[in-house]
Amino acid sequence: MVKSPEIGPQAQPYWYAHVIGIFHGLVSSSHRDVKNRSLHPMKFLWVQWFGMEPGRYCHGFRYARLPKIGFVESTDEYAFTFLDPAQVIRGAHLIPAFSEGHTSTLLPATKSVA
Protein backbone atom coordinates (compact mmCIF):
# COMPACT_ATOMS: atom_id res chain seq x y z
CA MET A 1 0.00 0.00 0.00
CA VAL A 2 1.46 3.34 -1.08
CA LYS A 3 0.18 6.92 -0.95
CA SER A 4 -1.55 7.84 -4.19
CA PRO A 5 -0.29 10.82 -6.20
CA GLU A 6 -3.83 11.38 -7.54
CA ILE A 7 -5.65 14.61 -6.72
CA GLY A 8 -9.26 15.67 -7.18
CA PRO A 9 -12.68 14.66 -5.89
CA GLN A 10 -12.59 11.09 -7.29
CA ALA A 11 -8.94 10.48 -6.34
CA GLN A 12 -8.09 7.37 -4.35
CA PRO A 13 -5.95 7.97 -1.25
CA TYR A 14 -3.91 4.77 -1.68
CA TRP A 15 -2.62 2.48 -4.41
CA TYR A 16 -2.19 -1.24 -3.84
CA ALA A 17 0.28 -3.71 -5.31
CA HIS A 18 1.23 -7.36 -5.01
CA VAL A 19 4.93 -7.78 -4.19
CA ILE A 20 6.40 -10.34 -6.58
CA GLY A 21 9.98 -10.04 -5.39
CA ILE A 22 12.24 -8.19 -2.97
CA PHE A 23 15.66 -7.36 -4.36
CA HIS A 24 18.88 -5.59 -3.45
CA GLY A 25 21.80 -4.81 -5.64
CA LEU A 26 24.81 -2.65 -6.24
CA VAL A 27 23.98 0.04 -8.80
CA SER A 28 25.71 2.95 -10.50
CA SER A 29 24.55 5.62 -12.90
CA SER A 30 25.49 5.77 -16.56
CA HIS A 31 24.13 9.31 -16.99
CA ARG A 32 26.74 11.63 -18.49
CA ASP A 33 26.20 14.38 -15.86
CA VAL A 34 26.84 12.07 -12.89
CA LYS A 35 30.36 12.50 -11.58
CA ASN A 36 30.39 9.76 -8.92
CA ARG A 37 29.94 6.44 -10.75
CA SER A 38 30.83 4.22 -7.81
CA LEU A 39 28.56 1.36 -6.83
CA HIS A 40 25.85 2.04 -4.24
CA PRO A 41 23.59 -0.49 -2.49
CA MET A 42 19.92 -0.22 -3.48
CA LYS A 43 16.80 -2.08 -2.36
CA PHE A 44 13.72 -2.35 -4.58
CA LEU A 45 10.48 -4.28 -4.94
CA TRP A 46 9.10 -5.84 -8.10
CA VAL A 47 5.32 -5.36 -7.97
CA GLN A 48 2.14 -6.04 -9.91
CA TRP A 49 -0.32 -3.18 -9.48
CA PHE A 50 -3.95 -3.43 -8.50
CA GLY A 51 -6.57 -1.09 -9.97
CA MET A 52 -9.99 -0.02 -8.76
CA GLU A 53 -13.00 -2.14 -9.73
CA PRO A 54 -14.48 -0.59 -12.89
CA GLY A 55 -18.17 0.19 -13.00
CA ARG A 56 -20.69 1.73 -10.68
CA TYR A 57 -19.52 0.14 -7.41
CA CYS A 58 -19.56 2.74 -4.62
CA HIS A 59 -17.33 2.56 -1.56
CA GLY A 60 -16.26 4.66 1.37
CA PHE A 61 -17.57 5.74 4.77
CA ARG A 62 -20.74 7.13 3.21
CA TYR A 63 -21.63 3.70 1.77
CA ALA A 64 -20.05 1.61 4.56
CA ARG A 65 -18.14 -0.46 1.97
CA LEU A 66 -14.48 -1.15 1.36
CA PRO A 67 -13.08 -0.53 -2.13
CA LYS A 68 -12.90 -3.42 -4.59
CA ILE A 69 -9.63 -3.84 -6.42
CA GLY A 70 -8.25 -6.24 -8.98
CA PHE A 71 -5.07 -6.72 -10.98
CA VAL A 72 -4.38 -4.28 -13.78
CA GLU A 73 -4.40 -5.97 -17.20
CA SER A 74 -0.98 -7.36 -18.12
CA THR A 75 -1.07 -5.42 -21.40
CA ASP A 76 -0.93 -2.14 -19.43
CA GLU A 77 2.52 -0.56 -19.72
CA TYR A 78 2.72 -0.07 -15.94
CA ALA A 79 1.11 -3.33 -14.71
CA PHE A 80 4.51 -4.54 -13.47
CA THR A 81 7.03 -2.03 -12.12
CA PHE A 82 9.78 -1.57 -9.58
CA LEU A 83 9.10 0.33 -6.37
CA ASP A 84 11.28 1.89 -3.68
CA PRO A 85 10.51 0.14 -0.35
CA ALA A 86 10.62 3.57 1.35
CA GLN A 87 7.38 4.46 -0.49
CA VAL A 88 5.47 1.60 1.12
CA ILE A 89 3.22 2.83 3.92
CA ARG A 90 2.40 -0.61 5.24
CA GLY A 91 1.27 -4.05 4.25
CA ALA A 92 -2.43 -4.66 3.79
CA HIS A 93 -4.52 -7.78 4.18
CA LEU A 94 -6.78 -8.14 1.16
CA ILE A 95 -9.88 -10.29 1.40
CA PRO A 96 -10.57 -12.22 -1.82
CA ALA A 97 -14.12 -12.04 -3.18
CA PHE A 98 -14.40 -15.67 -4.26
CA SER A 99 -18.13 -15.21 -4.92
CA GLU A 100 -17.23 -12.87 -7.81
CA GLY A 101 -15.62 -15.76 -9.70
CA HIS A 102 -12.18 -15.79 -11.32
CA THR A 103 -10.62 -14.97 -14.66
CA SER A 104 -7.43 -15.60 -16.55
CA THR A 105 -7.95 -12.77 -19.05
CA LEU A 106 -5.93 -10.20 -17.05
CA LEU A 107 -2.78 -12.32 -17.05
CA PRO A 108 -2.87 -14.87 -19.86
CA ALA A 109 -0.72 -17.96 -19.28
CA THR A 110 2.34 -17.57 -21.48
CA LYS A 111 6.05 -17.90 -20.88
CA SER A 112 7.09 -16.66 -17.46
CA VAL A 113 9.27 -13.56 -17.17
CA ALA A 114 11.15 -15.34 -14.37
Side-chain angles (χ1 to χ4, degrees):
M1 185 168 118
V2 298
K3 180 102 172 84
S4 168
E6 297 177 26
I7 55 173
Q10 300 297 321
Q12 298 300 319
Y14 304 105
W15 284 359
Y16 302 92
H18 168 71
V19 176
I20 299 170
I22 302 170
F23 301 96
H24 59 89
L26 294 173
V27 299
S28 68
S29 177
S30 62
H31 194 275
R32 63 184 168 173
D33 295 337
V34 174
K35 294 176 182 153
N36 183 0
R37 296 185 185 246
S38 62
L39 295 174
H40 300 280
M42 180 182 211
K43 297 177 184 174
F44 51 96
L45 306 172
W46 183 25
V47 299
Q48 180 180 10
W49 290 102
F50 287 106
M52 297 305 294
E53 176 75 18
R56 300 180 57 97
Y57 179 79
C58 298
H59 65 277
F61 287 113
R62 181 176 176 189
Y63 301 100
R65 290 188 196 166
L66 295 170
K68 282 187 179 181
I69 59 174
F71 284 117
V72 173
E73 290 190 40
S74 62
T75 55
D76 187 301
E77 183 178 359
Y78 299 106
F80 299 90
T81 59
F82 292 101
L83 182 66
D84 181 352
Q87 293 179 299
V88 175
I89 296 172
R90 66 177 303 144
H93 175 72
L94 302 176
I95 302 169
F98 292 115
S99 62
E100 300 286 330
H102 67 278
T103 181
S104 61
T105 59
L106 296 175
L107 186 60
T110 60
K111 284 187 170 183
S112 171
V113 173

